[in-house]
Amino acid sequence: MAPAAEPEERELEAALRPKNLADFVGQERVRKQLALVLAASRIRGRSADHVLMSGPPGLGKTTLAMIIAAEMNAPLRISSGPAIQHAGDLAAILSSLSDGEVLFLDEIHRMSRPAEEMLYMAMEDFRVDIIVGKGAGATAIPLELPPFTLVGATTRAGLLPGPLRDRFGFTGHLEFYSVEELELVLRRSAGMMDLKLTSAGFSEIAGRSRGTPRIANRLLRRVRDWALVHGIETIDARTASAALDMYEVDVRGLDRLDRSVLEALVNKFNGGPVGLSTLAIAVGEEPETVETVAEPFLVREGLLGRTPRGRIAMPAAWEHLGLKMPGNAVAAAMLPFDDDADV
């Protein structure tokens, strides 16, 4: 799988996004709560409350922001936290908003502190103070803003300052999807792509999608390509399995990096414990890559554990690799866990 999507991939991914809440699959609780918030705003004839979406990547935060704008019949402005490094950057965006416009800030927790402090007043009072001049001669010029709706998205809600988090009228946390929900996502996407799949074919792809719709749609496109090249019209479980095996996505959704981490941990370090830096060197990757890309899924699947002494392979990892767990590895797996271990 390529680390970045090609332009054609981005266009297709955008086309597969649902355009309204009725078409949005999964996240039942958040979807119902958000529908109520938007319906009440339309009845009042006012902009919707500010919305904060948190959760892992690929679960639909950007899609929901687009749906909010569509449901409110309002224009959408898209930016991101890393792009706003100065208060002036944010002031330029806010001052150009139209009445009722939806402003989507992705990775809002990465916004600079001066911009965050400006955003407090903008969200609450729809006003910002523009500082003109320097030193004793500096003057604050108040700038009134039209009512707007801020939709913030973050993968690390804990990094948001309390004052900013409290200014959002609605906060929704997106959970990973079940296999059944991913099958519904895939059926909708397959219909839009004019693909024929059996029920077993949908299940095979959904089971390898790591609970994430974005990954499910990408795997569906790779299976489509494989079937097209091999002249297969109807994709069944066998076809999907053969295609995904070629792309090194196994039955639990582990990719090359995931398996490299587990194999190094088991074969080179006898199941651990081993430090993050040492493990990263063993697989030829940066420690940040192992920690942020591979570890979250492996920990969630119960394949890898984090202890004060380092990373360890859990019994499920040995079983997944088809190996027998030695006695000393069992003892390592019984070590106390520490989610903040960084050794």
Side-chain angles (χ1 to χ4, degrees):
M1 302 292 288
E6 297 294 330
E8 180 183 355
E9 294 276 328
R10 294 195 187 97
E11 292 176 7
L12 182 55
E13 193 168 309
L16 295 178
R17 294 182 188 272
K19 301 300 187 293
N20 52 64
L21 284 174
D23 292 337
F24 190 87
V25 177
Q27 310 296 342
E28 189 72 16
R29 176 178 52 82
V30 172
R31 187 160 53 88
K32 287 183 177 179
Q33 293 171 348
L34 188 57
L36 183 63
V37 170
L38 298 180
S41 299
R42 288 195 298 268
I43 293 172
R44 293 197 309 269
R46 300 179 58 184
S47 298
D49 284 344
H50 304 302
V51 176
L52 176 65
M53 294 292 174
S54 64
L59 298 186
K61 297 185 292 294
T62 302
T63 299
L64 283 173
M66 295 178 176
I67 288 175
I68 289 172
E71 295 275 354
M72 296 301 295
N73 196 25
L76 175 67
R77 184 82 57 91
I78 298 178
S79 187
S80 65
I84 302 175
Q85 292 303 310
H86 305 283
D89 300 333
L90 180 63
I93 294 174
L94 294 175
S95 61
S96 63
L97 293 175
S98 58
D99 190 10
E101 190 165 353
V102 175
L103 172 62
F104 174 59
L105 290 182
D106 198 10
E107 295 299 304
I108 191 173
H109 64 272
R110 296 177 60 188
M111 192 165 48
S112 68
R113 181 55 59 88
E116 277 180 3
E117 293 174 352
M118 174 178 284
L119 193 57
Y120 296 162
M121 184 178 297
M123 294 173 67
E124 204 162 40
D125 302 326
F126 298 109
R127 180 174 69 91
V128 294
D129 290 335
I130 307 297
I131 307 299
V132 178
K134 295 183 178 180
T139 304
I141 300 177
L143 177 64
E144 298 296 327
L145 302 175
F148 67 95
T149 297
L150 173 66
V151 179
T154 176
T155 55
R156 305 183 68 181
L159 296 183
L160 280 178
L164 178 58
R165 189 167 53 247
D166 294 342
R167 281 172 167 80
F168 286 96
F170 172 76
T171 301
H173 179 74
L174 305 188
E175 306 284 351
F176 285 104
Y177 282 58
S178 66
V179 172
E180 292 75 17
E181 289 173 331
L182 286 177
E183 286 185 32
L184 294 176
V185 172
L186 289 170
R187 288 181 185 277
R188 178 182 179 275
S189 300
M192 297 179 68
M193 296 165 64
D194 197 25
L195 296 178
K196 296 179 180 179
L197 283 86
T198 65
S199 296
F202 283 119
S203 298
E204 186 69 24
I205 299 173
R208 302 191 188 203
S209 299
R210 302 167 77 122
T212 307
R214 180 184 296 162
I215 294 177
N217 283 327
R218 288 185 179 177
L219 294 183
L220 178 64
R221 296 197 292 272
R222 300 290 72 78
V223 172
R224 172 204 60 186
D225 295 344
W226 193 93
L228 181 64
V229 170
H230 289 80
I232 298 174
E233 293 186 0
T234 301
I235 299 170
D236 56 13
R238 183 177 179 181
T239 301
S241 178
L244 296 178
D245 286 344
M246 193 197 75
Y247 287 105
E248 299 183 285
V249 179
D250 69 18
V251 293
R252 294 190 67 161
L254 274 65
D255 59 17
R256 181 203 59 81
L257 175 60
D258 299 325
R259 284 194 304 278
S260 296
V261 170
L262 290 185
E263 289 170 355
L265 193 53
V266 167
N267 296 324
K268 296 182 180 179
F269 304 106
N270 199 31
V274 61
L276 174 62
S277 298
T278 304
L279 183 59
I281 292 173
V283 298
E285 297 284 354
E286 293 294 324
E288 293 79 8
T289 302
V290 174
E291 187 174 26
T292 60
V293 177
E295 272 193 2
F297 180 66
L298 295 176
V299 171
R300 182 164 62 90
E301 290 293 295
L303 299 170
L304 181 143
R306 292 160 55 114
T307 77
R309 294 177 58 196
R311 275 60 175 173
I312 62 172
M314 301 300 289
W318 294 84
E319 181 181 350
H320 183 69
L321 295 176
L323 301 173
K324 184 178 180 181
M325 189 174 185
N328 55 347
V330 174
M334 298 302 291
L335 289 170
F337 290 95
D338 180 8
D339 289 339
D340 298 322
D342 57 0
V343 291

